Structure formats: structure tokens, C-alpha cells
Amino acid sequence: MYSEIQDTFARLQSTLHAFNLLWPEHVIAGMVWRLPLLTEQRTPDTLQVERLVGQAAVDATRIALTEFERDLGQAPGTVMRLPGYFAVSESVLKRIRQINALKDELAAAIERLRLELNLVPAARPRLMRRALGAKFSTKQLLRHIQCFDGTPRLIVFTWAGHTTATGRVSVDKVREKLQAGAEARASRERIRIEDTPEYQELRALVNMADMEVLTERKSVAPHPRAMLWFTDSSRYEAMIHANLPMFVMAGENTFEVRELKNFNRNARQAKRPDEKRRIEVLPNRDLFLPSRMSEEAAAAPNKVEEANVASTYRKA
């Protein structure tokens, strides 16, 4: 039952092992920051980062690229992060694309098994752990490595403190969840189902079609990110989650790197004033009517492609 997942993971391990033997030979410069592991599912108010360079940075990265299990004391749902960069003398883009493709293949194998067993999407991590081991982390296993086949002029590492993730959910799925919640509350509190707040929320959706799609917004824990500039543009041309060190090409001249600083929640800047205004469908559930992207924004080319830089980067 789990053989496809296990076989794909074995190929991923083999490919990563070969990559770890290759890339350190081409490093011209690099730097990473080691972050403390979280022991609970929340980011503390302060985080001290440890700067690593030279062989220490290489060794830490080789471990991080193949570290898929939670460490002792690491809270479930949290991930090990090692932001940083390496400038290499020869392109490693093809090999990193192969690694990322295997990660995608592994995710697809997990999804096929889920569908075969007729389980809910939330069962994916459980299937993965049954196949590979109880301490495996889905996020650490499936996250991509970023690589840019060009030399940036500037890399800025910083903390994203107010990020939100958006997803899509159909109205019928929302109705199912509210109906189940209403029934459970009515049974638990011994009240009429019509008197539950979930039932009142159901009534608010009465004029919406089942297949209408809503935007679901969730807050994302503070995390390190990196912005890259390849041209003289004043706006960055790539912004990535800095979960693992990225790889860029070394150029004739050294480029500027603004280093990651310690995280301090109380010193974070205010939320951006240009956040999209959305029409809320249900109060306190972060469900909104989808906003329509302008035709100009939809047709705008990827700025990294404009800079003629082949990469693993794709804008969401």
C-alpha cells in the first residue's frame, strides 16, 4: 500500500545524497543563519539567530537539505529553518529542479493513496508518517529548494511578521462544516440546532450557490524571507520564503547581502497599509468574496523572467 511513497522517497534520498557530494565543491561564498527549534506551536516574541560561514555553513546546509524528521523536543507542526545563500561557480539549477520534481512526485504519490483510501485531505500527513516514520514532517519533506541561474546585485534577508495565506473553498464545503458543527453543538449543549451560532451562519449563506468559491485567509507565523534584485529596478524581482539556503551564480564582482537580524515581535513594523480590501462573508471565520485581479496584473510577466534569469522561482 505504501510502496510507491517509499520507493519515491528512496530515489529522493539518493538524489539528495549525490547533490550533497557535488555542490560544496563549487561554493565561492555563502552564509546561513541557524534558527532555534520551536518547542511549542507558536513563535516566541524574540528569536536569536546564529550566523554561520565557511565550512560550518556548508555542513549545516548538507544536513538541513536531508533533515525530514522532527528533532528531539521540536513541536509538531513546526519546521526546522536555515535561511541563507551560496554563490556557486557552476550552475546547479538542473539538479535542484530534479530534486524538486521528486518532492512533487512524492506529494502526488501521497495524494493518490489518500484518494484510493477515500480519506479527507487532512489525512495526507498521517499517510506519509505511516509510510516513512512517525517523526517525519510533511513541510520539511516537501518544501522546495530555490535556485537562480544568475548573479543578483542585492539580496535582503528579513522577517515576514504579518503574512497571511489565502486559499479557496467552495460554499458547499463551508456548509458541510457548519452543519456538522451545528449538530455537534446542539448535541453537546442540548439545545435546538436552530439556536446554534453555526446554524445562523448557515442561514447567511442561503443565497449563495454550492459551487461558488470563497477566499479563505489564514495568518502565517512569522518566518524569514529573502528578496532578490537582478537588475537596476527599484522593486525586488523575487521574494521567497527563506526556509533553506538558496543557490545563486557567482559573478565577477561580489554582490551586496543584507543579513538576517534577530526576530523581535515588539519591534516589528506595522501591517502594510495597502492590504487588499475584501468583502467578508462570515464574521470571525476569515471567509471573503474573491477579489478580481485586474487584466493588467494578470498579464504582467514574471520580473525574474524579464531579467532573463532561469530559476526555480514562481510567483504565487
Side-chain angles (χ1 to χ4, degrees), residues 19 22-28 86-96 147-150 247-251:
F19 180 63
L22 169 78
W23 70 264
E25 300 178 1
H26 304 309
V27 170
I28 302 300
F86 287 97
V88 291
S89 58
E90 292 188 21
S91 174
V92 293
L93 178 60
K94 183 177 179 181
R95 290 178 179 270
I96 289 179
C147 178
F148 297 86
D149 235 11
F247 293 85
V248 299
M249 292 297 295

Side-chain angles (χ1 to χ4, degrees), residues 14 19 30 64 102 135 184 218 243 255 287:
S14 176
F19 180 63
L102 283 168
K135 291 186 177 181
K218 298 179 181 178
N243 294 317
F255 49 83
L287 290 171

Side-chain angles (χ1 to χ4, degrees), residues 10 13 32 59 85 99 114 132 212 241 257 265 296 307:
Q13 277 188 310
V32 302
D59 292 342
Y85 79 96
I99 292 168
R114 180 189 74 81
L132 303 178
E212 190 167 347
H241 288 185
V257 177
R265 190 186 303 273
E296 293 81 8

Side-chain angles (χ1 to χ4, degrees), residues 77-88:
T78 66
V79 295
M80 174 275 299
R81 289 184 169 124
L82 189 75
Y85 79 96
F86 287 97
V88 291

Side-chain angles (χ1 to χ4, degrees), residues 201-213:
E201 290 176 314
L202 269 172
R203 293 185 61 183
L205 300 176
V206 65
N207 292 323
M208 301 189 75
D210 277 350
M211 299 316 294
E212 190 167 347
V213 176

Side-chain angles (χ1 to χ4, degrees), residues 41-104:
Q41 289 184 332
R42 65 175 298 275
T43 303
D45 291 339
T46 60
L47 281 173
Q48 303 293 315
V49 302
E50 179 186 2
R51 182 178 186 267
L52 301 176
V53 296
Q55 191 60 44
V58 170
D59 292 342
T61 300
R62 292 176 70 175
I63 293 172
L65 293 179
T66 58
E67 186 57 76
F68 303 134
E69 296 184 65
R70 286 185 289 111
D71 204 347
L72 184 66
Q74 181 181 341
T78 66
V79 295
M80 174 275 299
R81 289 184 169 124
L82 189 75
Y85 79 96
F86 287 97
V88 291
S89 58
E90 292 188 21
S91 174
V92 293
L93 178 60
K94 183 177 179 181
R95 290 178 179 270
I96 289 179
R97 281 177 170 168
Q98 182 182 10
I99 292 168
N100 290 343
L102 283 168
K103 287 172 176 275
D104 292 341

Side-chain angles (χ1 to χ4, degrees), residues 255-268:
F255 49 83
E256 181 182 356
V257 177
R258 297 181 189 170
E259 300 187 22
L260 184 70
K261 295 179 172 59
N262 296 331
F263 173 75
N264 186 331
R265 190 186 303 273
N266 298 323
R268 299 304 301 155

